[in-house]
Amino acid sequence: MNQSHHKHRTSILRPIIGLFLLVAGGLSACSSTRHNSVEGPESEARSTLTLESNSACESTGYLGGVVTPSQWRLRVVNHSGVGAAWRIVSDQAWLTIPIALGSTAPRAESAIIACIDPDAARTLGVGEHRAQISLHSAKSESNPGDTIEVVLRVKASGKPVALPLGDGQGLDTESPAPAGGGASALIAVDAPDTGYWTDLQPSADSRRIYVSSSVGSDTFSGLSPDLPKATIAAGKALMRDGFPDWLLLKRGDTWIGSFGQWLVSGRSANEPAVLTSYGTDTLRPKLSTGTGDGLFTIQNNVSPDVLRHIRIVGIRFSCEGHTGSEGTPRGINWHVPFEDLLIEDCAFQYFHTNIVIEPLGEHGRDFRLRRSIVADAFTTQNSHSQGLYVANTEGVLLEENVFDHNGWREDIAGAVPTIFRHNVYLQTDVTTVRAIGNIFASGASHGLQAREGGLVEDNLFVNNAIALLLGSDWKTKEPIRFIARRNVITGGRDLDPANLRGFGIDVPTAASGLIARNLIVNQGNAGFPVAMSLYDGTTASGLHDVIVEGNIVHNWGGGVLIQGQAPRLTGFAFRQNLISETRTDNPLVENTGIPNGSIAECADNLLWSQNAPANGWCRLGRGNVSLDQWKSAMADSSTQAELPPYFDSTRTVQEYDKRLGGPGTLASFMAVARRQSRTNWQPQYTAPVTNDWIRAGFRWAD
């Protein structure tokens, strides 16, 4: 390889500071300061603009691990009667502004996102780190206007949970682990657990209520593990609304029927009401609900108007009596407005929809689902089965969960995949979404459907018909803004022979977005492969200010599809992407319309097709064109034709399973991943570690 190619490659792959989010704990005091001492015409222009935040931004993370939240929504407000252009600058590499240039109409405001770069933040030491975000004239970075300070506090390590809160069982305890799988068979995979478990501590006045189906009696007090109640109803009757009371179910025990209605709030975020477990058994306590709900809230004469500060930790919900035709049983069926709801280390299986979070009337605030297993939701009826469905909620965190095979079952007649059945469906009125470090596997249609956008980072998508949808062609609660980065998307499938699929990332309209450093690789079986589909929609406002940067697409079978023209498609940037195909002759990049000012920047990409003719590498309008013709239309002078010399571009989840000692199948890998729990946490079966192994195959061999 000649020297010029080597230099070009280095420039393409250099670290893109500020593009990638960290998944970790919390930030502190986000304050805005007005600087009015600047003189001159630039000061006059800036005085019409302010940089504002609704509230303090607080986050705390662990050394080398995650921070939550990892992004903040700020706004630039134009107080004048004329449009004004601006620039946003961060003075620290670990705090980034993906969309840092813009303009705001008269008497209007523009939303921007500030976020943490995971690669930069993981290098920070223990202690307090400060960054300044400053507002400037578009023509100058000197003499800032308003500033916002962000403080990142990094802790040495996570505190252990007061009680062990998990088990080591698989979801279906009659299914053995795959032969040869598990941590004992791990071969040279360095996999420390850089995440954390929520620290739960009872308060001085907490009432701890113990329940055991095996040794309990409702004549007992229930106030010690030696004198547990027998029924959940008897235990629930002792919980007090507004107190930090704990209801503890004995591990290894099973209750037949529903938990029933949840009715109590905790005292505060630090003193929540808790449903969890006790004892030394390795199995989670199990609610075997027959054909009914596991736990529900409903607005009736005994329910509070709002439920606050609730933790559901370490419980297994199973609907083993459900055959697909018995209505719509849900593992958790939540309809009361709420604030601060955490579900962690739980397992859900066999319901019509495993979890429904849909407050009626007033919205919910701050729903968190962490390190839980959500699998095998299904129906044989003409209805929409989901693993997780969320609506009317502000603030959703999905972190290090396993979502597997929701919406359909191959072993039950009529439980088929449809376009309405997904692993996760987040409605158009769900805002401030963060999906971090999850496994989305074998969803009936979508792995993750995030219609309001949000942050999607470090997730593994495998064997979904459509891996990731960001945005909506319907009306949403707020303008659609998203960041999708460092995800690995691999495998793929059709819904059925009549409904061909194989989509990686699907974006139907957005106000702004960033798609960066994702891998979309090695999809071989789907009939309609599209690595990325970005289009300006039909009823929404169009696709604007979307950056596609630093992604690797390899042997997906189909390339990047860009649909639309100005004025509905504007500010689109496509740079430093590596797109290669050695199996099919499909175009690498396709524009449905001839660019007419819609492209803000196209540069420094590497494209390569092994089998397409020279005049068919790309597509413009209805005709195939050469790479040079496409570059000319895109005003691109630096993109080159080159196949990157990857170290091992064949890496898949199946190969990773073989490296871990399994037989080399997706089913084997997922069988172990579905057994994750607090007492049996294996980092090598998490998305971040699996992704790192796959991503390492795409380093350059020279």
Side-chain angles (χ1 to χ4, degrees), residues 553-569:
V553 177
H554 179 73
N555 280 351
W556 189 255
V560 177
L561 179 60
I562 305 166
Q563 304 181 68
Q565 293 179 297
R568 291 184 56 80
L569 173 64

Side-chain angles (χ1 to χ4, degrees), residues 554 644-651 659 693-702:
H554 179 73
Y646 295 126
F647 174 73
D648 178 10
S649 63
T650 65
R651 290 190 173 188
R659 187 171 183 84
W693 184 83
I694 295 175
R695 190 176 289 114
F698 288 86
R699 70 181 187 269
W700 287 25
D702 62 349

Side-chain angles (χ1 to χ4, degrees), residues 51 105 113 133 152 204 229 241 306 323 357 386 441 446 451 458-459 469 487 491 559 581 606 645 673:
L51 178 62
I113 293 176
I133 304 170
L152 169 60
K229 296 288 187 182
D241 187 34
V306 180
T323 65
I357 305 296
Q386 323 289 343
H446 290 69
R451 290 194 167 272
D458 279 331
N459 302 283
L469 181 141
N487 302 287
E581 181 63 47
L606 291 187

Side-chain angles (χ1 to χ4, degrees), residues 63-403:
L63 182 64
V66 296
V67 298
T68 303
S70 54
Q71 68 171 344
W72 298 269
R73 182 171 294 183
L74 311 176
R75 62 182 180 273
V76 176
V77 182
N78 184 0
H79 302 276
S80 76
V82 296
W86 45 263
R87 178 189 299 269
I88 306 295
V89 176
S90 167
D91 68 350
Q92 297 295 326
W94 55 264
L95 186 68
T96 70
I97 315 296
I99 309 297
L101 284 170
S103 60
T104 304
R107 313 294 182 192
E109 62 182 54
S110 301
I112 63 169
I113 293 176
C115 56
I116 295 176
D117 182 303
D119 298 324
R122 288 183 183 118
T123 67
L124 299 176
V126 173
E128 190 171 275
H129 305 272
R130 296 175 180 270
Q132 297 284 335
I133 304 170
S134 53
L135 173 66
H136 301 257
S137 162
K139 298 180 180 180
S140 173
E141 292 187 11
S142 61
N143 300 323
D146 287 358
T147 63
I148 288 179
E149 183 179 71
V150 177
V151 181
L152 169 60
R153 294 189 175 95
V154 178
K155 296 182 179 181
S157 63
K159 295 171 62 179
V161 179
L163 295 173
L165 298 174
D167 62 36
Q169 90 264 28
L171 282 178
D172 183 352
T173 56
E174 295 179 355
S175 297
S184 61
L186 182 64
I187 303 173
V189 175
D190 182 18
D193 183 10
T194 59
Y196 67 98
W197 298 95
T198 299
D199 181 13
L200 294 176
Q201 300 286 351
S203 301
D205 62 340
S206 292
R207 179 181 288 174
R208 281 170 279 187
I209 305 152
Y210 299 86
V211 182
S212 170
S213 64
S214 60
V215 298
S217 169
D218 285 352
T219 64
F220 294 163
S221 69
L223 300 180
S224 79
D226 297 326
L227 295 170
K229 296 288 187 182
T231 65
I232 291 174
K236 284 168 52 181
L238 297 179
M239 295 192 78
R240 301 165 295 176
D241 187 34
F243 283 81
D245 290 346
W246 289 39
L247 182 62
L248 302 104
L249 310 184
K250 188 177 181 183
R251 290 194 191 92
D253 283 6
T254 298
W255 287 261
I256 305 300
S258 172
F259 178 93
Q261 186 174 0
W262 183 275
L263 292 168
V264 299
S265 294
R267 178 180 290 149
S268 68
N270 292 326
E271 296 182 291
V274 178
L275 169 62
T276 187
S277 61
Y278 77 100
T280 59
D281 200 291
T282 59
L283 301 181
R284 290 182 180 100
K286 177 181 174 182
L287 296 180
S288 182
T289 68
T291 60
D293 290 348
L295 178 154
F296 67 89
T297 69
I298 190 172
Q299 294 170 317
N300 57 20
N301 59 356
V302 296
S303 173
D305 292 335
V306 180
L307 289 165
R308 296 182 173 91
H309 313 306
I310 296 157
R311 311 286 181 262
I312 301 172
V313 179
I315 309 296
R316 180 184 176 195
F317 298 83
S318 181
C319 195
E320 292 156 339
H322 178 49
T323 65
S325 61
E326 300 85 3
T328 58
R330 285 90 180 259
I332 289 183
N333 195 12
W334 198 286
H335 293 297
V336 172
F338 67 88
E339 181 180 328
D340 182 20
L341 170 62
L342 169 70
I343 301 171
E344 182 172 291
D345 189 32
C346 290
F348 302 85
Q349 191 179 30
Y350 300 139
F351 293 88
H352 173 283
T353 297
N354 279 317
I355 306 173
V356 171
I357 305 296
E358 187 180 21
L360 304 178
E362 293 296 320
H363 55 247
R365 289 191 178 93
D366 191 12
F367 167 64
R368 306 183 304 283
L369 178 65
R370 303 190 65 255
R371 293 193 163 190
S372 293
I373 314 299
V374 182
D376 300 325
F378 73 102
T379 182
T380 60
Q381 305 168 86
N382 186 24
S383 57
H384 306 332
S385 170
Q386 323 289 343
L388 168 66
Y389 176 82
V390 184
N392 195 26
T393 298
E394 295 182 357
V396 171
L397 171 66
L398 309 178
E399 186 173 27
E400 294 190 276
N401 303 288
V402 174
F403 298 96

Side-chain angles (χ1 to χ4, degrees), residues 648-673:
D648 178 10
S649 63
T650 65
R651 290 190 173 188
T652 62
V653 175
Q654 291 85 341
E655 288 298 316
Y656 182 64
D657 177 70
K658 186 181 294 184
R659 187 171 183 84
L660 293 176
T665 65
L666 177 61
S668 168
F669 175 85
M670 292 307 304
V672 182

